[in-house]
Amino acid sequence: MKIAPQLRKELDFLNGALDRIEASVERSARPRIRDLRLRLHDWAARVAVIGQVKAGKSTFLNAFLHQHDFLPSDVNPWTSVVTNMRINLPEDPVTGARFEFFSEADWDEIINGGTRIRKLTEELLPGFDTDILREQSEQMRRRAQRRLGKHYQMLLGQHHDYDFLAPDLLQRYVCAGPGADDGLEREALGRYAALTKSANIYMRLPEFQVPTIITDTPGVNDPFLVRDEFTCRSLDRSDVFIMVLSAHQPLTDVDLALIRILAKQDDKDVLIFLNRIDELDDYAVEVPRVIADVSRRLRAAIPDIDFKIVAGSAYLADLTQRSDEEAAWARAEMDSMELAQYLYSRFGRVPEDPIDRLLLASGVEEVKHVLSAVIDGGVGRQQLAQLRGDLRAELSGMQFVARRERDTLQMQIESIRSDVAEAAIEEMSSEIVATEALRGALENHVESAEHQIEAVLNRGWSALETRLNKSIEDFVLSQRDRFEDVLRTNRIRDGRPPRSFETDTTALQIALEREVTKSYARSRAAIDVLLDNAIHACRTTVADRFDDPSEEIDLSDMPHDTFTSTLTLTRRALRINFALERGWAFWRGPTVNIDKTLDGLRIVAAEELRPAVEKILQAYGEALVERASAGGSRLRVMVRMMEMIVRERTLQLKQERAELERLARDPQMQSRLASRIQSKLEVLERRLINLGAIESAVSSTMMPRRKPATRAA
């Protein structure tokens, strides 16, 4: 079958449109077209296969790609390599592989975290413990150092390239090999696995109609938490997810947590593959029951996410691709009356060929159909639609410039007479002065907006820091009543004050997150107002002299409309020792000084929460800066378009004035100039016709995004 044929048509259309534009415009405009072409060549559908360890992800991918036993499906727990199958990417080699190694900066990022996905993982994924991750990451680094010896430092941050593919080559970089470290330097299997950050596999598969990157993730819910870390990191880099669940125990708490992380990302499509149905007791009865149960629980837990459920067996698909005797025996055993009953109840037909029966039951072909529809109608279509919109904006700008040039040439033809030329010279001199003044006015608008936005950013950051610190102080003061309750209880029960006190920080975290959300909304609104005012001021400045070339530019679809803190405090509870005092009456027991105890809690809270507060302030600032930068970039693009028109108009006016000065004194020159201008007009008319036809095609409505509906199959 063909995967994503509709987007193939869109890619071909956009490439053809770029070819036609490049052939129609003058040389000076072609770099902008080449930039759009580069973006188009860099685009790829990005698919990740995710799920728990041992759910059958690699076996599924081997069957999906018709590559039996290519990806290792039984790997040592030390393996944490993300494997990217880069399929039909135009700039990639036809075949081969690149294996990238960790750098010291990569190790530090794993150990210290700080990414948004890390915060979501800490918050949502059961059993994820950052301290254990740090310890295991250090162990992994030490193992790589022991295994590679003197080569370790030389390999940091480097990569190995190959112009061929083979399973044993992949195993050398992905499979960890022996569990013990003795003789590791002599063991080829998995020699580089502990140092390999990612494996990039180059493939050419005609089935895929568009460039596609399929990522095989290490998996989650494993005692080796580096796997969890790398799987969750891959969520940022993909747009479509095939989540592989085991039909024996589908949709565990870990599975739901992983989908919740996806739900917090923008524009992610999810396909659920219920694997291993061949291990169920009764296909016809059990498979519909499992699908219905998963569908019901998903809708209840995550009602806002659309998903598609396909049931099948990667093992059955793998059997159809093998020709060995063991596979033939297994196919005969699996091709049972029970399987036929299941196929008829599920699909309404039973293929005649045994291979076709097993393939249909495997669900792999159905996954391909669903994936094709998701890529054609999902995030990929939105991304290409954005590129089409940018292309349309470029076309509008080119047509605007061409029309202005045409109008100027028509005016020149009319002004060739000597008496008209002399009058026009005086008018042009005044217009040149007024036009040149516009550039300074535009730059002033931009600089004023940038200074005001910088002030908003600084005030917002400082105000948030103050509010966060106040929330911590309020939390500390709120513990006084709890201290007194604990002291009262202990005196009644034990007759003496307790030595320490532990307080839950959940309420504090909620308060901090609330402050972050409110502060972001205020600062974002202020920045948006400043950007909108600047855009309006620039348009007003040129409105009397030029048509607006930037009608397509606005502040829609800016990043970070909202900002929700994913802050997870390092400690869920804070422990503080009570400050005890002894009076002069030594025979009496010590008493608790609550004020000093609160001072101690204040110090402990400040020390423990400082890293978390600094991280959230950094993330808050980065989100605001990114939004402001995006708006500022659009403002600058708009001003560049306007300044280009101003420069071109000024240059044209000066050239025309010089021509008119010569023209007023030379009748023969008047005749030659009229002929030359007429030729230019004809060229411009043809260009406008071509650009108008291309714009009409580019502006045609794209197929609307299709979200696959939930189906209990």
Side-chain angles (χ1 to χ4, degrees):
M1 68 164 295
K2 294 181 178 180
I3 296 176
Q6 296 302 319
L7 279 198
R8 175 72 269 162
K9 293 177 183 178
E10 179 67 13
L11 287 172
D12 291 342
F13 169 80
L14 291 173
N15 272 310
L18 289 171
D19 290 340
R20 291 171 61 193
I21 295 171
E22 198 162 5
S24 300
V25 300
E26 56 191 9
R27 190 180 302 274
S28 61
R30 290 174 186 170
R32 297 195 297 275
I33 301 304
R34 284 194 284 271
D35 290 342
L36 289 172
R37 192 184 298 279
L38 183 61
R39 284 174 56 192
L40 191 62
H41 281 181
D42 287 343
W43 179 85
R46 299 176 184 273
V47 181
V49 179
I50 61 175
Q52 296 193 47
V53 171
K54 300 300 182 184
K57 298 183 302 299
S58 297
T59 302
F60 164 77
L61 262 179
N62 284 334
F64 186 83
L65 299 173
H66 300 281
Q67 303 282 337
H68 168 64
D69 222 16
F70 178 68
L71 292 171
S73 56
D74 186 16
V75 294
N76 184 291
W78 283 105
T79 302
S80 58
V81 180
V82 172
T83 304
N84 301 307
M85 272 64 68
R86 298 173 60 89
I87 303 169
N88 301 343
L89 269 71
E91 303 301 323
D92 280 358
V94 173
T95 188
R98 166 171 286 192
F99 300 97
E100 299 180 354
F101 299 122
F102 288 113
S103 65
E104 287 293 356
D106 293 325
W107 285 118
D108 182 67
E109 186 178 346
I110 298 168
I111 293 169
N112 296 316
T115 65
R116 178 171 180 264
I117 287 293
R118 166 68 71 80
K119 293 181 175 71
L120 286 172
T121 305
E122 292 171 340
E123 177 184 349
L124 297 175
L125 196 64
F128 189 90
D129 188 307
T130 303
D131 292 334
I132 295 177
L133 173 65
R134 291 193 184 100
E135 181 182 346
Q136 290 179 346
S137 301
E138 288 287 6
Q139 292 174 10
M140 185 176 171
R141 175 157 57 178
R142 289 194 295 270
R143 179 179 172 87
Q145 291 170 339
R146 289 194 301 269
R147 184 152 209 169
L148 296 169
K150 63 182 181 181
H151 301 291
Y152 173 82
Q153 289 295 333
M154 292 186 291
L155 290 172
L156 284 174
Q158 303 301 310
H159 60 264
H160 284 174
D161 287 327
Y162 295 89
D163 59 3
F164 67 93
L165 286 177
D168 59 341
L169 172 67
L170 194 58
Q171 290 170 7
R172 193 182 310 166
Y173 290 87
V174 173
C175 294
D181 291 334
D182 295 337
L184 288 177
E185 69 283 353
R186 300 186 301 274
E187 178 64 46
L189 177 65
R191 182 179 184 188
Y192 302 103
L195 190 61
T196 304
K197 179 172 70 172
S198 64
N200 295 298
I201 310 301
Y202 308 125
M203 293 179 170
R204 289 290 188 268
L205 299 177
E207 195 172 27
F208 289 84
Q209 298 296 289
V210 299
T212 304
I213 299 174
I214 299 181
T215 300
D216 183 22
T217 60
V220 295
N221 199 26
D222 189 276
F224 186 53
L225 294 185
V226 176
R227 283 186 158 192
D228 286 11
E229 169 74 4
F230 276 78
T231 295
C232 291
R233 282 179 180 229
S234 71
L235 306 184
D236 258 349
R237 306 183 186 101
S238 300
D239 302 314
V240 180
F241 296 89
I242 301 175
M243 186 164 188
V244 180
L245 307 179
S246 173
H248 284 293
Q249 192 181 12
L251 218 59
T252 64
D253 290 343
V254 173
D255 296 326
L256 281 172
L258 200 53
I259 296 179
R260 284 193 177 99
I261 293 176
L262 291 177
K264 286 182 175 285
Q265 310 296 302
D266 293 330
D267 295 320
K268 303 292 185 183
D269 289 309
V270 182
L271 190 164
I272 307 293
F273 180 63
L274 285 172
N275 193 19
R276 295 181 173 175
I277 67 167
D278 58 286
E279 299 173 9
L280 297 176
D281 294 332
D282 186 340
Y283 301 144
V285 174
E286 290 296 313
V287 172
R289 182 190 62 78
V290 173
I291 291 178
D293 179 63
V294 169
S295 178
R296 176 184 56 78
R297 292 168 61 200
L298 271 176
R299 282 197 301 270
I302 314 165
D304 297 331
I305 190 168
D306 293 324
F307 57 91
K308 173 83 173 181
I309 301 174
V310 176
S313 166
Y315 171 69
L316 292 181
D318 182 64
L319 287 180
T320 67
Q321 298 171 15
R322 292 167 53 187
S323 57
D324 56 280
E325 184 177 341
E326 181 182 350
W329 178 86
R331 285 197 296 268
E333 183 180 29
M334 298 304 301
D335 188 22
S336 62
M337 182 60 68
E338 178 189 345
L339 181 72
Q341 292 172 348
Y342 165 68
L343 293 177
Y344 188 79
S345 66
R346 172 86 186 279
F347 302 102
R349 64 188 179 92
V350 180
E352 294 184 6
D353 188 279
I355 294 292
D356 291 339
R357 289 196 289 270
L358 293 178
L359 187 59
L360 182 60
S362 74
V364 169
E365 292 302 308
E366 187 178 358
V367 169
K368 290 181 180 179
H369 282 284
V370 175
L371 180 63
S372 177
V374 167
I375 294 175
D376 269 342
V379 179
R381 177 160 294 275
Q382 286 186 321
Q383 292 165 347
L384 292 186
Q386 181 179 351
L387 197 146
R388 181 187 276 232
D390 294 342
L391 177 58
R392 183 183 176 188
E394 287 291 348
L395 277 168
S396 297
M398 292 173 183
Q399 288 177 290
F400 176 82
V401 171
R403 290 191 190 100
R404 296 288 302 183
E405 188 176 351
R406 180 190 61 186
D407 295 344
T408 300
L409 290 175
Q410 290 172 339
M411 290 174 59
Q412 287 178 356
I413 289 179
E414 295 172 359
S415 63
I416 286 177
R417 295 196 343 260
S418 299
D419 56 335
V420 176
E422 290 175 356
I425 290 171
E426 186 176 348
E427 291 180 7
M428 285 182 178
S429 298
S430 300
E431 187 175 353
I432 288 170
V433 173
T435 302
E436 288 179 332
L438 294 179
R439 295 173 62 184
L442 291 172
E443 191 61 34
N444 287 338
H445 291 321
V446 174
E447 290 181 356
S448 175
E450 289 176 344
H451 290 153
Q452 293 179 72
I453 288 172
E454 185 177 1
V456 169
L457 291 172
N458 291 333
R459 286 197 304 271
W461 194 94
S462 299
L464 177 58
E465 184 180 30
T466 301
R467 290 189 181 95
L468 294 181
N469 289 332
K470 184 179 184 303
S471 295
I472 295 173
E473 176 62 21
D474 291 344
F475 169 77
V476 170
L477 294 176
S478 71
Q479 301 305 301
R480 175 183 290 273
D481 291 341
R482 293 199 61 206
F483 285 172
E484 293 175 347
D485 289 343
V486 169
L487 291 173
R488 190 181 306 109
T489 301
N490 272 65
R491 286 195 188 98
I492 295 173
R493 186 184 61 204
D494 302 330
R496 61 178 183 275
R499 299 183 59 84
S500 63
F501 173 80
E502 186 172 277
T503 181
D504 185 3
T505 61
T506 301
L508 173 59
Q509 178 168 326
I510 293 172
L512 295 178
E513 291 176 348
R514 185 169 54 247
E515 288 296 340
V516 170
T517 301
K518 288 164 53 180
S519 295
Y520 184 84
R522 284 192 293 265
S523 296
R524 191 218 68 184
I527 289 171
D528 288 357
V529 167
L530 291 172
L531 288 170
D532 191 63
N533 289 344
I535 288 176
H536 179 72
C538 290
R539 284 180 170 150
T540 302
T541 298
V542 301
D544 292 338
R545 292 185 176 273
F546 303 107
D547 294 332
D548 186 2
S550 61
E551 292 179 354
E552 302 292 331
I553 296 177
D554 55 33
L555 297 178
S556 61
D557 299 323
M558 296 253 286
H560 304 297
D561 275 341
T562 59
F563 179 78
T564 302
S565 167
T566 54
L567 171 67
T568 301
L569 299 182
T570 305
R571 297 185 182 277
R572 296 292 184 182
L574 296 177
R575 179 175 291 276
I576 180 69
N577 290 330
F578 281 109
L580 301 178
E581 292 184 342
R582 294 183 178 275
W584 60 270
F586 62 86
W587 58 87
R588 295 178 180 171
T591 59
V592 174
N593 187 317
I594 291 182
D595 290 333
K596 288 185 177 180
T597 302
L598 286 174
D599 289 340
L601 178 59
R602 189 174 290 108
I603 294 171
V604 170
E607 186 66 27
E608 293 289 344
L609 301 180
R610 184 183 300 111
V613 170
E614 289 175 352
K615 285 183 179 179
I616 200 58
L617 284 170
Q618 180 182 354
Y620 167 89
E622 289 172 352
L624 278 178
V625 168
E626 185 176 347
R627 185 174 181 86
S629 298
S633 296
R634 296 186 189 187
L635 178 61
R636 283 286 182 184
V637 167
M638 186 186 75
V639 169
R640 280 200 302 270
M641 294 173 70
M642 293 177 176
E643 287 182 338
M644 179 187 69
I645 295 171
V646 170
R647 284 195 300 269
E648 289 178 352
R649 181 58 179 159
T650 302
L651 180 61
Q652 286 177 349
L653 286 170
K654 290 179 178 179
Q655 291 173 341
E656 290 166 12
R657 184 175 61 182
E659 289 283 338
L660 287 172
E661 288 171 348
R662 290 194 299 271
L663 184 66
R665 298 187 298 268
D666 190 342
Q668 291 184 346
M669 184 179 179
Q670 293 174 15
S671 177
R672 292 195 302 270
L673 181 60
S675 177
R676 189 164 64 245
I677 292 174
Q678 187 61 44
S679 297
K680 289 183 178 180
L681 272 173
E682 291 172 359
V683 171
L684 278 173
E685 289 293 351
R686 287 195 297 272
R687 181 181 301 165
L688 282 168
I689 290 171
N690 291 336
L691 292 176
I694 299 171
E695 185 187 33
S696 177
V698 170
S699 300
S700 62
T701 304
M702 286 184 62
M703 192 181 308
R705 171 174 178 159
R706 299 188 305 274
K707 286 262 191 174
T710 304
R711 181 170 75 89

